[in-house]
């Protein structure tokens, strides 16, 4: 098997998933620093922060005629925005690691310009008497009643995974430690109909329901201050991870240097005695992680640190693979060339067996539709055609539905198995590959599901020889219509030696997808399963 993604694609894989979360996020609150007197023409900069930190920044005055518009967003949401043109000027992520992760896919600068302005340790929190001591984070996260959150969006949830990895820092296969911890958490996340709350909202809802939650010392202190009630908190014996808040400049173009100067002014203001006092009053520790005064919070705690970012990125990939459902169109070339043998069997027969195997093993929450394309496909047996257009480039044999959805007297899985069994090559060599790919891409994009990994999987053995558009036109349209906030990844599987590998790679790359090619019949089943199960396209 040859399966070569674009350079760097594997490292950035999970960031594609983070983009999906943007549309699922809650409303954004805008707060404004009071306009300074004597400034007729102040310069305003947007600052993206979590809701927990927003009151601190909102109350900060800086020298000169500079104002800050505070935008409340979770770090995973900002990471996604940085892959688009809709970016803040400054960002204070809940976890400095988000900046290095976001830099992998950002379309502009992501420059950290300060040491952490504040920190807060991770804790397990709940109503008094509900939080059990834990030897380590692996044990703490294994509690079946724990509410975890979404680590592709939330600083505390991502930090908890980092804590498990930090505990296993001396283990050469640290992922072997964290994977079984994440699996049940990801499974619970995958069945949610709505995005899990974050921050203080998650803490309040979980405590009200009698559960325990991954939180921070700052959120606990805010809860105690607002509700005038105590909470139970625990830090595992091994210690905990500090969520830190550096200042990151994300402004584009000529605005970048001015935003960096504004960041320096903001940093200086927060390092004054007044700024540090405001941080403390809102439950944050200083940048060095010193305990809160007056016996508040968790006190002195051992601090865990993760030095290897590659294992954290791998963990995010694992989470994405386990938590996000699949939603895809499976488009199969049935032109006459697919009747030729690859080894001892025809290519179409090999694809038929591979698709049947995939139908049998993929879980019920997978959503998939089936298309056939190639010359003469409009007369293809007696298959249904849900496509509105009358031309004969392709047919929609089955629209996208969950595998376990009821269809007629069976399920979508049953229907797809029946349709796959009828696959056969036509008598026409024409292959409108480009037209079909664009139509499938738009079909998935038009019915986009923000809580799934949306993709198009294309299986073909040849080059285009029947489309109305050229390759360059297709690539230009895909580049123009590919929306990072609504990503639809094209995954291609090329069969045999005659396939136009370079073109398929270009098409996949235009959407952040991946391209595979094989001449080995034994590889096809594995490739089809890999492509259909792919959550991120990379």
């Amino acid at each position: 098997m040859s399966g070569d993604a674009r350079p760097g694609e594997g490292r950035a894989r999970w960031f594609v998933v983070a983009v999906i979360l943007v549309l699922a996020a809650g409303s954004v609150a805008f707060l404004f620093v009071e306009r300074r007197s004597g400034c007729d023409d102040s310069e305003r900069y947007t600052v993206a922060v979590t809701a927990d930190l927003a009151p601190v920044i909102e109350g900060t005055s800086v020298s000169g005629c500079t104002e800050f518009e505070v935008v409340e967003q979770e770090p995973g949401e900002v990471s996604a925005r940085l892959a688009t043109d809709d970016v803040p000027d400054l960002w204070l992520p809940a976890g400095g690691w988000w900046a290095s992760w976001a830099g992998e896919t950002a379309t502009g600068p992501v420059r950290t310009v300060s040491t952490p302005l504040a920190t807060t340790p991770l804790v397990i929190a709940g109503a008094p008497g509900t939080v059990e001591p834990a030897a380590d984070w692996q044990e703490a996260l294994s509690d079946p009643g724990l509410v975890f959150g979404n680590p592709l969006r939330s600083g505390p949830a991502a930090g908890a995974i980092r804590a498990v990895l930090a505990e296993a820092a001396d283990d050469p296969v640290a992922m072997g430690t964290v994977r079984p911890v994440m699996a049940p958490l990801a499974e619970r996340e995958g069945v949610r109909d709505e995005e899990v709350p974050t921050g203080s909202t998650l803490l309040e809802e979980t405590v009200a329901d009698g559960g325990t939650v991954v939180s921070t010392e700052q959120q606990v202190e805010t809860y105690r201050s607002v509700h005038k009630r105590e909470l139970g908190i625990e830090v595992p014996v091994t210690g905990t991870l500090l969520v830190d808040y550096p200042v990151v400049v994300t402004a584009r173009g000529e605005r970048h240097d001015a935003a960096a100067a504004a960041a320096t002014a903001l940093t200086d203001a927060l390092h004054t005695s007044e700024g540090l006092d405001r941080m403390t009053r809102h439950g944050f520790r200083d940048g060095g992680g010193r305990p809160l005064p007056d016996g508040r919070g968790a006190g002195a705690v051992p601090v865990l640190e993760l030095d290897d970012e590659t294992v954290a990125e791998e963990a995010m990939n694992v989470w994405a693979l386990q938590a996000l459902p699949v939603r895809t169109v499976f488009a199969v070339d049935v032109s006459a060339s697919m009747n030729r043998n690859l080894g001892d069997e025809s290519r179409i027969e090999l694809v038929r067996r591979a698709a049947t195997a995939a139908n049998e093993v993929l879980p019920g929450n997978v959503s998939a539709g089936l298309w056939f394309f190639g010359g003469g496909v409009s007369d293809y047996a007696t298959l249904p055609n849900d496509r509105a257009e009358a031309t004969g480039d392709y047919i929609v044999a089955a629209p996208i539905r969950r595998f376990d959805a009821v269809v007629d007297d069976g399920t979508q899985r049953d229907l797809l198995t029946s349709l796959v069994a009828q696959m056969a090559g036509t008598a026409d060599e024409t292959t409108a590959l480009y037209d079909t790919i664009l139509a499938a891409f738009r079909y998935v994009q038009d019915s986009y599901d923000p809580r799934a990994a949306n993709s198009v999987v294309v299986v073909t053995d040849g080059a285009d020889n029947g489309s109305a558009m050229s390759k360059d036109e297709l690539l230009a349209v895909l580049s123009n219509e590919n929306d990072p906030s609504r990503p639809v990844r094209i995954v291609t599987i090329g069969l045999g030696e005659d396939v136009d590998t370079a073109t398929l790679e270009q098409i996949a790359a235009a959407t952040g997808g991946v391209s595979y090619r094989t001449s080995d019949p034994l590889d096809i089943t594995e490739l089809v399963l890999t492509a259909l199960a792919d959550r991120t396209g990379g």
Side-chain angles (χ1 to χ4, degrees), residues 47 64 112 196 230 234 259 262 302 316 327 371 418 429 449 456 512 530:
V47 185
T112 300
V196 63
E230 278 301 313
E234 289 286 347
M316 293 301 99
R327 184 175 181 276
W371 290 29
S418 173
E429 295 276 354
D449 182 352
V456 175
T530 298

Side-chain angles (χ1 to χ4, degrees), residues 77 168 197 232 261 285 298 355 376 392 398 400 414 418 427 431 465 514 531 534:
E77 296 165 16
R285 300 188 178 199
I400 297 177
D414 298 330
S418 173
T431 307
N465 61 3
V514 63
D534 190 270

Side-chain angles (χ1 to χ4, degrees), residues 190-210:
V191 299
R192 291 183 184 273
D193 294 327
E194 298 180 353
E195 184 65 57
V196 63
T198 57
S200 295
T201 302
L202 177 61
L203 175 61
E204 290 176 1
E205 292 186 4
T206 303
V207 170
D209 292 338

Side-chain angles (χ1 to χ4, degrees), residues 10 43 51 63 78 87 104 111 141 159 234 315-316 327 418 421:
E43 188 69 27
S63 59
V78 182
V87 302
E104 296 288 343
R111 183 161 66 99
L141 297 187
E234 289 286 347
M316 293 301 99
R327 184 175 181 276
S418 173

Side-chain angles (χ1 to χ4, degrees), residues 54-135:
V56 177
I57 307 304
E58 187 270 338
T60 300
S61 297
V62 299
S63 59
C65 297
T66 300
E67 298 180 11
F68 295 105
E69 177 181 326
V70 180
V71 183
E72 295 182 8
Q73 286 187 308
E74 292 298 320
E77 296 165 16
V78 182
S79 293
R81 292 296 184 197
L82 297 182
T84 73
D85 293 329
D86 179 18
V87 302
D89 294 311
L90 304 176
W91 178 28
L92 277 67
W97 60 84
W98 289 98
S100 61
W101 289 353
E104 296 288 343
T105 55
T107 55
V110 181
R111 183 161 66 99
T112 300
V113 295
S114 81
T115 55
L117 298 180
T119 59
T120 185
L122 293 177
V123 299
I124 304 297
T130 63
V131 187
E132 296 293 333

Side-chain angles (χ1 to χ4, degrees), residues 89-411:
D89 294 311
L90 304 176
W91 178 28
L92 277 67
W97 60 84
W98 289 98
S100 61
W101 289 353
E104 296 288 343
T105 55
T107 55
V110 181
R111 183 161 66 99
T112 300
V113 295
S114 81
T115 55
L117 298 180
T119 59
T120 185
L122 293 177
V123 299
I124 304 297
T130 63
V131 187
E132 296 293 333
D136 53 29
W137 276 97
Q138 183 176 1
E139 179 182 332
L141 297 187
S142 298
D143 180 356
L146 179 74
V147 178
F148 180 63
N150 185 346
L152 300 181
R153 184 182 178 208
S154 159
I161 290 178
R162 294 174 68 86
V164 177
L165 291 169
E167 289 173 338
D170 295 331
D171 184 351
V173 285
M175 282 306 301
T177 300
V178 72
R179 192 183 298 266
V181 175
M182 289 195 300
L185 296 170
E187 183 178 355
R188 294 202 293 269
E189 172 68 18
V191 299
R192 291 183 184 273
D193 294 327
E194 298 180 353
E195 184 65 57
V196 63
T198 57
S200 295
T201 302
L202 177 61
L203 175 61
E204 290 176 1
E205 292 186 4
T206 303
V207 170
D209 292 338
T212 59
V213 62
V214 175
S215 187
T216 66
E217 177 185 68
Q218 185 275 332
Q219 291 167 4
V220 169
E221 287 304 301
T222 298
Y223 181 96
R224 288 170 170 168
S225 175
V226 170
H227 296 279
K228 309 302 180 185
R229 292 175 55 194
E230 278 301 313
L231 287 180
I233 64 171
E234 289 286 347
V235 169
V237 174
T238 52
T240 190
L241 183 134
L242 289 179
V243 178
D244 61 332
Y245 295 81
V247 179
V248 182
V249 181
T250 52
R252 305 286 174 82
E254 296 179 356
R255 192 172 176 81
H256 184 84
D257 289 343
T264 299
L266 178 62
T267 301
D268 291 344
L270 289 171
H271 279 157
T272 63
S273 58
E274 180 184 353
L276 293 171
D277 183 60
R278 183 181 299 108
M279 285 282 192
T280 300
R281 289 201 312 270
H282 284 277
F284 289 99
R285 300 188 178 199
D286 63 17
R290 281 180 281 272
L292 295 174
D294 304 322
R296 297 162 56 202
V301 292
V303 175
L304 297 169
E305 295 184 3
L306 180 64
D307 298 323
D308 187 355
E309 285 299 324
T310 61
V311 297
E313 292 181 11
E314 184 182 358
M316 293 301 99
N317 276 333
V318 171
W319 178 273
L321 289 168
Q322 293 174 332
L324 277 180
V326 175
R327 184 175 181 276
T328 191
V329 159
F330 187 49
V332 182
D333 183 352
V334 293
S335 61
S337 61
M338 290 290 285
N339 291 319
R340 293 199 292 268
N341 277 11
L342 188 64
D344 297 330
E345 295 180 271
S346 71
R347 299 171 188 191
I348 198 70
E349 173 59 28
L350 291 169
V351 175
R352 182 188 302 119
R353 289 202 289 107
T356 299
N359 280 351
E360 291 175 352
V361 301
L362 288 171
N365 68 343
V366 167
S367 296
L370 180 62
W371 290 29
F372 298 122
F373 66 97
V377 74
S378 58
D379 300 323
Y380 197 53
T382 58
L383 296 181
N385 182 7
D386 290 339
R387 201 188 68 157
E389 297 87 343
T391 55
D393 300 334
Y394 65 90
I395 63 172
V396 180
I400 297 177
R401 302 186 189 97
R402 280 177 57 116
F403 270 20
D404 55 9
V406 176
V407 181
D408 297 329
D409 295 327
T411 64

Side-chain angles (χ1 to χ4, degrees), residues 35-47:
R35 181 180 295 275
R36 295 181 62 82
S37 61
C39 292
D40 296 329
D41 189 21
S42 294
E43 188 69 27
R44 178 177 294 169
Y45 297 92
T46 55
V47 185

